[in-house]
Amino acid sequence: MKPKKIVKIIAGVIIFFTLPSLLFFGFVYFKYNEDLPPVNQTEAADILAHKMLIALNADAYKATNNLEWTFRRKHHYKWNKKDNLVEVNWKEYKVDLDLNTPNNNVAYIHNFRVDNEKSIELIQTAIDYFNNDSFWLVAPYKVFDKGTSRSIIKHNGKDALLINYTQGGSTPGDSYLWILDENYKPTKFKMWVDILPIGGLEATWSDWKTTQTGAVLPTHHKLMFFGLNMGDVKTSL
């Protein structure tokens, strides 16, 4: 086969697989992309944030010491919130994170401890997983974290709560607009985050569970066509 024909075949295959993706991205972008609303931090926004926390029994969450869940059936967590220790399991890997003292972080492969460049990679992966996956579990309780600002934005004629993160986690600079029901309980949020090229995408926060400690936590989210399952969410004192 001539080289010119091979090039044409390769180009055709690339176009075949990439063109539908590009068209789909273009459709989604023009349909859903929104600019980030202007930040206007006010005392009224702080009051709205407190109402949301009351609706979710934030005192019970604060008293909860241990949380366990599995994100998308892939990443399993046991989080000792009181001591800031996390056990992260995925595939054949396990990492014990000490979020207060990173030098105590330990990585395992098939339950055998590793202490080399691979361990550094696994520890960073576990930190990134935890920052992302724990946010999908406890984000409503983080609206007064250090480095946050709160604004009220009108959404369909009702007050919604815009949270801007200027520091913390793996992707500082992200923003979330919480949509609340009549009891101030979140039903969904809109996201402006670095890892997504489209601003304002919605994810549901409607599958709530009152856990063993009384903390109210989600068990499932829906982001466009994708489900984000949180597994069997458990808590203890």
Side-chain angles (χ1 to χ4, degrees), residues 36-179:
L36 177 66
V39 176
N40 182 26
Q41 189 170 3
T42 63
E43 184 179 350
D46 289 351
I47 293 173
L48 183 60
H50 279 297
K51 289 180 177 179
M52 182 178 77
L53 291 175
I54 291 170
L56 295 177
N57 200 356
D59 287 340
Y61 171 74
K62 186 177 180 180
T64 297
N65 289 329
N66 301 291
L67 300 95
E68 185 173 352
W69 75 101
T70 302
F71 185 74
R72 297 185 65 192
R73 301 182 178 89
K74 295 180 178 179
H75 310 151
H76 185 72
Y77 299 90
K78 293 181 180 178
W79 178 17
N80 179 338
K81 184 161 66 73
K82 179 181 178 181
D83 297 324
N84 236 359
L85 304 173
V86 190
E87 180 185 301
V88 187
N89 289 273
W90 75 101
K91 296 182 179 178
E92 66 270 28
Y93 309 120
K94 183 180 84 165
V95 175
D96 290 330
L97 295 175
D98 185 335
L99 301 177
N100 293 332
T101 312
N103 286 338
N104 293 337
N105 295 340
V106 182
Y108 302 85
I109 301 177
H110 293 298
N111 292 321
F112 292 98
R113 179 171 175 168
V114 291
D115 191 11
N116 49 32
E117 290 186 3
K118 183 63 176 179
S119 67
I120 296 173
E121 175 189 333
L122 291 174
I123 288 168
Q124 186 57 55
T125 298
I127 292 171
D128 291 339
Y129 281 166
F130 175 73
N131 286 340
N132 178 77
D133 301 353
S134 64
F135 193 84
W136 284 101
L137 185 72
V138 302
Y141 300 107
K142 297 174 67 65
V143 294
F144 283 99
D145 277 8
K146 184 178 180 180
T148 59
S149 67
R150 290 153 297 282
S151 308
I152 288 181
I153 304 296
K154 287 295 182 182
H155 179 267
N156 294 334
K158 297 181 179 180
D159 287 346
L161 180 65
L162 179 65
I163 306 297
N164 302 92
Y165 290 85
T166 60
Q167 63 186 66
S170 297
T171 55
D174 293 347
S175 299
Y176 302 84
L177 182 66
W178 290 96
I179 315 301

Side-chain angles (χ1 to χ4, degrees), residues 168-205:
S170 297
T171 55
D174 293 347
S175 299
Y176 302 84
L177 182 66
W178 290 96
I179 315 301
L180 312 176
D181 66 14
E182 63 276 9
N183 297 314
Y184 304 104
K185 194 172 184 179
T187 60
K188 59 186 176 182
F189 65 22
K190 290 175 172 282
M191 300 176 285
W192 289 263
V193 297
D194 283 344
I195 62 172
L196 293 177
I198 300 172
L201 285 180
E202 290 185 355
T204 63
W205 284 74

